[in-house]
Amino acid sequence: MESPWYRVNSFEHYKQLYSQSVENPDKFWGDVAESFRWRKKWDSVCEWDFNQANISWFKNGKLNITENCLDRHLSENGDKVALIWEPNDPKEKYIQWTYRELHNRVCRFANVLKENGCKKGDVVAIYMPMIPELTVAVLACARIGAVHSVVFAGFSAHALADRINDAQAKMVLTSDGLYRGLKEIPVKRVVDEALLICSSVSKVVVVQRTSWAVKMKPGRDVWLHEELDKVDSDCPAEPMDSEDMLFILYTSGSTGKPKGIVHTCGGYMVYADFSFRNVFQYDENDIYWCTADIGWVTGHTYIVYGPLLSGATTVMFEGVPTYPDPGRFWQICDKYGVNQFYTAPTAIRALMAQGDEHVLSYSLDSLKVIGTVGEPINEEAWYWYHVHVGKERCPVVDTWWQTETGGIMISALGDHGPHKPTYAGYPLPGIQPVLLDGEGNEFSDSDKEGYLAIKHPWPSMLRTTYGDHQRCINTYFSHYNGYYFTGDGAKRDENGMFRIIGRVDDVINVSGHRFGTAEIEDAINRNPQVAESAVVGYPHDIKGQGIYAYVIVRDRIDDDEVLRAEIVETVVEEIGKIAKPDKIQLVSGLPKTRSGKIMRRILRKVAEGDTTNLGDTSTLLDPKIVDEITEGAI
Ligand code: WTA
């Protein structure tokens, strides 16, 4: 399999492709798209109107992404390994499936979906641990044109129910239980609890992972292995329009409930492949591993779609970086001879804190490119990764992107181009980022911080927020006329390399996972003892940001510790363990202006441990509350 023409092979080549992509985006992306398998060619490459958030790519083209991920590779590469699955327990046997085998399994799973009443356009919620059937499930949906909505299996029953209801999912795909490190979680029970308040779901397909006893509701719940016995492996791919929905993925914003980001078939396919090949510089026979969970966008694009579109071997890992010991990642790299390794800064920091000996006992000789994603990487972690993992030999690709962007937007492309710690680098070909000042004017001064926005569409951008297009317009396209607004702040150095500073809205990034402060406040406020709360992020050594909650209680019944534990429990029930507040300060009031707006600036400073310069507090309704808060800070 030869690399296509659009795979960059030098920094000069990058610059060439970049200018072509900006001078004539339609020609550039039209040419890239030619290398895929289409049932029918498109009529126009890109039509767009940022004001109405109406964007289409490869209009009226017909394709099926799974034909491009699987069938297309069968004649020449059917026997190449597509997926390697490494279980949580290193003593359990790994799984290795060729493209032919994966194709076969996807077709059979797809037939199970059809037999159980699922059809094109139906939304299927997938709530599964990192088992190989998850990859199969995602592709099986895409095969028949069902829209997958993967929900991270760490979310609570409430959070799952919200997502099922918002998308009116018809079916849920899940497993009996899951193993993660020493934890064993009864996944099916969470689904059962969620479904008590979901009326749209008529079928649940359950994968057997743990063989624990689970309740199966007659007429609703079926076992995957039993259903597979009833179907064959012939499942023609459903022809999809380029702009038909491929998937929904829920993510948090600064207001309201999480929104369903919608990605469509054609553009997403083209950009997933394009960005994967370029950033990771994947070569034939390389083994590529991304440690993310498929419950997040990184897993969608860079475990499943990008690698498989490119005909790569992709590794999927069920467990956690520290089980059975903090050398687990490196042991897996050596075991399979991983060439490209992609993880999150929070994992790097957590492993760094465990001591160098765990990484130094592995050779890591096979590594060629190592990457990070999800949050800004601090200098110390960057160097540790570069020196101990990359052995100062592998380029570190610091990849900036978002659920909404579908694929990596700013990053070095392997070793082509300069690398500078804490700088994500240059935009990929076809991506036109700009910095805006508060008035929405573009500027190019170096070292000046601004709002990061994108001024031209790219194929894998979001198309809408499910069921509420106005919300999509308001969130992304109305802050600055004519731009997609990212919600991130950034600056550029004198050479034009981008450094991402972090969110400028009320979104906090905990271990690379996004939460709206309002979403956590809503959860906390569900506790009957809570009158009001305000949540802010603060710098955290491992997680990047920790969650700091200021809480006003009604009538205090329990002592403070019990109360705090109950508040944490409420958040775990409403959202999941991942959103647990790290610190809870019980307060008698919040710093509010006369118009009732909480002055978060003050709360952030206190949470950061900086009470020296709180700025002007004279406009507060009750300035004295600030003293109480600073004195009681944790
Ligand atoms: C942040 C994850 C700095 C950023 C793919 C963005 C980053 C949010 C980086 C999206 C990076 C992601 N450097 N910050 N390399 N990558 N972010 O939707 O704030 O889970 O807006 O997508 O993560 O998070 P999401």
Side-chain angles (χ1 to χ4, degrees), residues 251 297-298 372-377 398-404 486 488 500 502-503 509 512 514:
T251 190
V297 74
T298 304
T372 71
V373 58
E375 52 174 316
I377 179 161
D398 173 356
T399 65
W400 174 82
W401 60 297
Q402 309 178 297
T403 305
E404 294 85 342
T486 64
D488 278 321
I500 313 299
R503 302 291 304 197
N509 192 327
R514 282 163 65 173

Side-chain angles (χ1 to χ4, degrees), residues 274-385:
F274 175 85
S275 54
F276 171 77
R277 289 181 192 272
N278 273 310
V279 170
F280 298 104
Q281 294 284 302
Y282 184 85
D283 285 321
E284 169 94 74
N285 302 325
D286 281 350
I287 309 282
Y288 160 88
W289 179 23
C290 164
T291 70
D293 191 293
I294 295 177
W296 311 108
V297 74
T298 304
H300 281 61
T301 311
Y302 299 111
I303 295 178
V304 182
Y305 288 113
L308 296 177
L309 285 163
S310 310
T313 301
T314 180
V315 178
M316 185 177 174
F317 175 43
E318 183 183 37
V320 296
T322 47
Y323 176 81
D325 64 59
R328 185 68 163 126
F329 274 1
W330 323 125
Q331 179 251 329
I332 297 173
C333 284
D334 278 3
K335 176 173 177 183
Y336 299 111
V338 169
N339 303 105
Q340 290 89 3
F341 177 74
Y342 190 30
T343 196
T346 186
I348 297 170
R349 289 190 299 263
L351 295 177
M352 189 169 86
Q354 303 278 333
D356 299 348
E357 63 275 19
H358 300 288
V359 61
L360 294 180
S361 49
Y362 295 95
S363 94
L364 301 180
D365 275 352
S366 54
L367 290 176
K368 298 200 280 195
V369 175
I370 57 177
T372 71
V373 58
E375 52 174 316
I377 179 161
N378 51 307
E379 216 156 328
E380 196 191 352
W382 193 96
Y383 276 109
W384 187 86
Y385 197 38

Side-chain angles (χ1 to χ4, degrees), residues 65 69 124 126 130 134-135 138-139 147-152 246-250 261 263 268 272-273 276 288 290 292-309 314 342 401 403 406-407:
I65 196 168
C69 287
V124 176
I126 306 183
M130 285 289 284
L134 170 52
T135 296
V138 162
L139 294 168
V147 178
H148 56 78
S149 167
V150 183
V151 179
F152 173 60
L246 174 62
F247 67 86
I248 305 173
L249 186 57
Y250 283 83
I261 302 299
H263 285 287
Y268 178 82
D273 171 284
F276 171 77
Y288 160 88
C290 164
D293 191 293
I294 295 177
W296 311 108
V297 74
T298 304
H300 281 61
T301 311
Y302 299 111
I303 295 178
V304 182
Y305 288 113
L308 296 177
L309 285 163
T314 180
Y342 190 30
W401 60 297
T403 305

Side-chain angles (χ1 to χ4, degrees), residues 101 493 498 552:
E101 170 114 43
D493 71 3
F498 281 89
I552 307 177

Side-chain angles (χ1 to χ4, degrees), residues 48 50 315 473 522:
W48 59 296
F50 272 3
V315 178
I473 299 175
D522 283 349

